[in-house]
Each structure stands twice: as C-alpha cells, then as structure tokens.
Amino acid sequence: MNPIEEPENLQALIENLRQAGEADQPVKIESMLQATGERSVGALLLVPGLLVLSPLSGIPGLPSVFAVMVTLIAGQLLVGRRHFWLPQWLLQRTASRSKYDRALALLERPAALVDRLLRPRLKFLTQGLAVRGNALLCIAIAATMPPLEIIPFGNTTAGAALSVLGVGMMARDGLMILLAILFFLSLLFLISRIWL
C-alpha cells in the first residue's frame, strides 16, 4: 500500500479508510488505524467514533472493543505519549468488508456537510492542556459504551460524541469540542434513565 497522507478533514479520512485492508477480506483494526496516517490523534480517535456511529455499532461486542481502543489511545495521550501502542489482540480484530464499506458509504453525505462547517476557531480548546482534558473526555465517553450495548444501537450517541471530538481535534475547531461535551451530557442522561 502507498503511504497514506494524514487527513485534513472528514471526507479525506473516509477516503483513506476505504483503502484500508484488502478488497473482499475482513478489515482489521490495524489497517483502519494505518489508514489514518497514524500521526493525527484526532483521526485516531475519530475512527472508532465513526464506526460506532455507523451501523457497525449493532455488532455485539464491537462497541466495547472500540471503547478499549479509545481508552488506550486517550490514556497514552493523557500521559503525553506521541506514539501510541495497542495490543495485538485488539489490532487483529476485524469487521466484515461488506458491512465496513456500507458504513463508510452511509457516512459520506454527513461528512461533506460537517466539512463545510469546520474551521479553526476556539483553538485553545484543541491545544496545550486542553488536549489532556479532551483525552479525559474520551475516556469518560468510552466508559459509557459497554453499558449501552444492552440497547440496540444505543452507542450511536457515544459514536457521535467521539466523532465530533475527534473531528474537532483534527480540524482545530473548538466549537466541535463544546458540541462533544453536549453529546457526553446527553449520554449521561441516557445512562441515568436506563440504570436509575
């Protein structure tokens, strides 16, 4: 595979994700992460968010796998690591190629709309100490994902929160970070309605 450029927006990321893995073969998480360009923290966090936001979240256990992945990446970001390590058992997990391709196709139109709205603003929410705050928010969002698996597609809101947070970090758009916080608050409300 040719080297993949680091994506600058959501449409570029989806196009890179189309190139992940081999045609007609299940797609490994490792291939998905390689397709991000592996340098953009926002893109690394956006991949699981987008996939949980898509119909793939209906596959039992997959949202929890992505929750582990997000927690590991965000935890390493929290302690200041620049290169991220993930265990082989996680990197080797796969998704059906047909479901993966369908999920990406469904994300195309919303991606074009989101890209038109993105611009660098409130950048203080995407750099410096705010990056560690964003990492904590990712971990908190990931913690909501396993309990929501009892509801079919219950993780859609968690996927939206991670996606908005990841795209905000990738595009240096602090307004998206604020939106991710709103999604997280709605997640807490949803969980309180289920468990309390």
Side-chain angles (χ1 to χ4, degrees):
M1 186 192 301
N2 294 329
I4 294 177
E5 290 183 17
E6 186 176 338
E8 295 180 358
N9 60 34
L10 202 45
Q11 288 175 293
L13 178 64
I14 289 172
E15 188 52 43
N16 284 3
L17 286 171
R18 285 188 190 290
Q19 300 172 45
E22 303 295 328
D24 303 321
Q25 295 294 319
V27 187
K28 293 180 182 178
I29 288 178
E30 181 177 30
S31 299
M32 296 175 201
L33 294 180
Q34 287 170 349
T36 68
E38 298 185 303
R39 291 185 303 277
S40 168
V41 174
L44 282 173
L45 293 168
L46 183 53
V47 170
L50 286 174
L51 296 175
V52 172
L53 181 59
S54 78
L56 288 177
S57 69
I59 299 173
L62 202 57
S64 291
V65 168
F66 285 129
V68 170
M69 181 175 137
V70 167
T71 301
L72 287 171
I73 292 170
Q76 291 172 75
L77 179 61
L78 195 57
V79 297
R81 288 196 62 170
R82 298 278 182 208
H83 301 284
F84 300 98
W85 171 87
L86 292 172
Q88 278 301 311
W89 68 263
L90 180 58
L91 292 172
Q92 298 307 310
R93 289 292 301 255
T94 62
S96 151
R97 184 83 218 190
S98 60
K99 289 181 180 175
Y100 178 79
D101 287 341
R102 279 199 303 274
L104 292 179
L106 283 170
L107 293 169
E108 259 182 32
R109 186 168 287 166
L113 174 64
V114 169
D115 283 345
R116 284 197 294 272
L117 300 173
L118 291 175
R119 66 178 70 76
R121 58 191 155 190
L122 303 174
K123 287 167 49 171
F124 68 92
L125 292 172
T126 67
Q127 57 196 19
L129 283 176
V131 172
R132 286 186 165 83
N134 293 337
L136 282 172
L137 181 57
C138 285
I139 292 168
I141 293 167
T144 69
M145 292 164 71
L148 287 173
E149 281 210 53
I150 62 168
I151 305 169
F153 300 100
N155 272 301
T156 303
T157 305
L162 283 174
S163 297
V164 170
L165 185 61
V167 82
M169 291 174 71
M170 190 170 72
R172 302 277 186 252
D173 190 340
L175 187 60
M176 295 294 115
I177 306 298
L178 294 177
L179 186 56
I181 292 169
L182 289 177
F183 273 116
F184 175 63
L185 293 175
S186 44
L187 271 173
L188 293 180
F189 175 75
L190 181 59
I191 287 175
S192 72
R193 298 287 293 186
I194 294 167
W195 295 104
L196 299 180

